[in-house]
Amino acid sequence: MRVLVLGVTSNIGYKFYVQHSNKFEIYGSYRNLPPTIPKTKRLIRLSSPSRNQLLKIINKVKPDVVVNCIAQGNVDQCEQNYESCNRLNFGIVVDLVNILKKSNVKLVHFSSNAIYDGENPLYNEVSKAFPVNNYGKIKLKADKLILKLMKNYLLLRPITMIGHAEKFQRDNPATFIIKKLHKNQNLKLVNDDFVNFLYLDDMSKILGTLLQKKINGEFNISGNEILNRYQLGLKILKKIQTKSLIIECTSKAFNQYARRAHNTSFDNSKIRKLLKFKFTPVEIAIENIIKKT
């Protein structure tokens, strides 16, 4: 199976590329290739994700599957710059749908728990979506477009992920906390923002299995344990020798431009039962992340 990963240096894109190169014929697009990633003929520079450039790379690779990892994930920036957020999180999806909808090529799209308002967890695939910020509203537009026009697709909705982050990638909640503790820095962590954190390696394994089994559909994907950031920090603190203090606070302690939903935890039973998947416990995930950080 030939898979084209758009945005191969992203967290999930790179993890999938490294983890599954022996199972799939993986090609990847990048804007800037870090020196730590060996350049090969299967890694192709995509300077701008315009429709013409997307069509050009798809025609060149001739993939069976396109995994779109190009996105703007900064919620506050999406609130401040709607046009940029709309182009990256919706416009590219429009282009991909128009290119692929009449072909047999599967589109893999990553949605977000931000489509929910946090008032009625646990959220499953048929839960009503009420986004509270631009990021969530634009993600929901992309979801609806795919569900309406695509027949061969995977619409994956991973909740907040934790996992090893390469030097060229932005930190996730776990790596952010670990780095602060290693530097003996105190940090404030909120106690009113709940999710069942998803281990990045689990997300990559699930994607690989879904592709191998040629499964289509919409899936909310999360771990099993519902925690807030403060509770996550305490679990990490137990694993690290440090002089740091973790201070409990509410989200009001931070100046956030965009409104956030406070509990978007998932009901992960659909994906768990379908694949008989056993999610990695948070403490095991933390141990694995610390070893690599």
Side-chain angles (χ1 to χ4, degrees), residues 36-199:
T36 52
I37 300 179
K39 191 171 184 179
T40 72
K41 292 181 180 180
R42 291 187 183 179
L43 296 179
I44 304 166
R45 187 167 186 269
L46 185 66
S47 57
S48 172
S50 64
R51 187 185 189 280
N52 286 341
Q53 291 296 313
L54 291 170
L55 182 60
K56 184 178 179 180
I57 194 172
I58 289 169
N59 286 339
K60 180 178 181 179
V61 173
K62 295 180 174 57
D64 301 298
V65 179
V66 173
V67 181
N68 179 32
C69 298
I70 301 174
Q72 166 59 281
N74 187 303
V75 177
D76 287 330
Q77 288 181 14
C78 286
E79 204 69 20
Q80 294 171 299
N81 192 336
Y82 181 91
E83 292 303 320
S84 175
C85 181
N86 191 64
R87 170 55 197 157
L88 289 172
N89 292 337
F90 181 67
I92 292 173
V93 179
V94 172
D95 291 338
L96 289 172
V97 168
N98 287 333
I99 292 169
L100 301 177
K101 65 182 179 181
K102 293 182 180 180
S103 71
N104 291 321
V105 179
K106 183 192 293 286
L107 174 61
V108 179
H109 171 71
F110 291 99
S111 181
S112 170
N113 55 312
I115 70 166
Y116 303 113
D117 62 7
E119 298 298 324
N120 295 289
L122 302 169
Y123 293 97
N124 61 28
E125 292 76 7
V126 297
S127 297
K128 295 291 184 181
F130 296 104
V132 301
N133 52 47
N134 283 344
Y135 175 71
K137 291 173 184 176
I138 292 169
K139 279 291 189 180
L140 182 58
K141 278 200 309 178
D143 291 3
K144 289 180 177 180
L145 182 76
I146 290 169
L147 292 170
K148 180 180 180 180
L149 297 179
M150 292 296 295
K151 294 181 180 179
N152 192 8
Y153 68 90
L154 277 172
L155 199 166
L156 306 181
R157 193 169 289 116
I159 207 158
T160 306
M161 287 191 283
I162 58 173
H164 173 66
E166 303 291 338
K167 291 182 179 180
F168 52 84
Q169 296 169 336
R170 68 177 186 172
D171 282 322
N172 55 70
T175 57
F176 171 79
I177 294 169
I178 291 166
K179 288 179 180 179
K180 291 287 186 181
L181 296 182
H182 278 322
K183 293 177 182 178
N184 292 315
Q185 296 178 353
N186 297 337
L187 67 162
K188 292 182 178 180
L189 295 175
V190 299
N191 60 9
D192 57 356
D193 183 0
F194 293 87
V195 293
N196 30 5
F197 290 101
L198 173 63
Y199 187 34

Side-chain angles (χ1 to χ4, degrees), residues 227-279:
L227 302 169
N228 58 42
R229 296 294 202 280
Y230 176 69
Q231 291 169 328
L232 177 67
L234 293 181
K235 286 182 176 292
I236 295 173
L237 185 63
K238 290 180 181 178
K239 308 288 183 180
I240 295 177
Q241 290 186 343
T242 179
K243 297 179 181 178
S244 301
L245 296 176
I246 294 180
I247 302 163
E248 184 177 9
C249 67
T250 69
S251 53
K252 292 180 179 179
F254 299 94
N255 293 320
Q256 296 176 325
Y257 196 87
R259 182 184 168 193
R260 263 78 162 177
H262 289 297
N263 189 346
T264 54
S265 301
F266 283 168
D267 170 2
N268 64 12
S269 58
K270 181 180 178 181
I271 192 71
R272 182 166 41 82
K273 292 176 182 177
L274 176 68
L275 301 184
K276 296 181 173 56
F277 192 84
K278 294 183 179 179
F279 286 93

